[in-house]
Amino acid sequence: MRRWSWIAAALLASACNWAERAVPPERVPRFEPIAARPRVALVLGSGGPRGFAHIGVLKVLEEAGVHPDLIVGTSSGALVGVLYAANPSARDIEAQALALGGADVFDYDVFRRRVSGAALQAWVNGALANRLLDRLDVPVVVVATRQRDEMPVAFTRGDAGAAVRASSAVPGSFAPVDISGITYIDGDIGAPLPIAIARALGARRIIAVDVAQNVSRAPPPPGAPKDWTLEAVARRSKIEREEGGADLVIVPLLPYRTGFSLEYRQMAIATGERAARAVLPQLRALAAH
């Protein structure tokens, strides 16, 4: 009995560490309009580990002289977006991505059988030296989904880690996030490629990066769960409704399977770089206007 008491106490202590981190009122994520009309907005879409491809695109954008004055990101695109907004150096972001460990961002809650997201929130805020969304070098928008009606919601101010955590809260895998009494889930649900939000904020030119799964190009292997394919098709429909609003959509040709290994990350970054390099003339033309 004493042994089990110690185990129970240890699990309870772990659960407390996984509990949602309180955000002071002045740091609560919220929306306020962007002050100036953006000339070039960069929209980074959702895709889980496929989001590492965004980094390869950023490397080529820098080479082409394209410096976005607004970044709009959802889910993994939000993570890459805030890192780049805090430090507009693709090489530095690449180094961070390749050094990232699973324990840095995944904290499994054994009681709820899902990732709490607290580690991701803490890691993002640490990487940003606790700067708020509205205190980064480039204006950035983090898109999450309001759970009750699956409507996309944009955060432009407040705690960057909490906003990214909400934007990355994949239903069934990550715990939903409560902000000011409203529950949020993965931005992928409401806006997997939030071009319309960038346009609504006044962007004159929009470059979007679509890293979402595309089963028509990379079909699932035999035995893959049918639910995954249905989700991918539904997501693709949402993306197609928005992609016409962008001046250029970059599509890295990623495989069906994903991963978190170093090899997968390197492959995804290289794939993003190839996709952006293939449209380098268009990127340079956008930069010239």
Side-chain angles (χ1 to χ4, degrees), residues 167-218:
S167 182
S168 306
V170 180
S173 300
F174 282 71
V177 177
D178 289 335
I179 298 173
S180 298
I182 298 174
T183 302
Y184 294 95
I185 54 177
D186 192 6
D188 174 77
I189 304 298
L193 193 64
I195 294 167
I197 289 176
R199 191 66 74 186
L201 291 172
R204 284 175 280 179
R205 295 283 185 270
I206 296 176
I207 300 168
V209 186
D210 173 13
V211 297
Q213 189 179 70
N214 190 335
V215 294
S216 64
R217 180 187 54 77

Side-chain angles (χ1 to χ4, degrees), residues 3 7 39 54 59 67 77 86 95 98 105 152 158 176 197 213 247:
R3 177 191 176 198
I7 292 173
R39 188 177 70 86
H54 289 313
K59 291 169 68 175
H67 304 288
L98 296 180
V105 292
I197 289 176
Q213 189 179 70
D247 295 276

Side-chain angles (χ1 to χ4, degrees), residues 96 99-107 117-124 260 265:
Q96 283 181 299
L100 190 66
D104 293 327
V105 292
F106 300 121
D107 51 347
L120 174 62
Q121 178 177 336
W123 186 87
V124 169
F260 195 73
R265 283 177 264 178

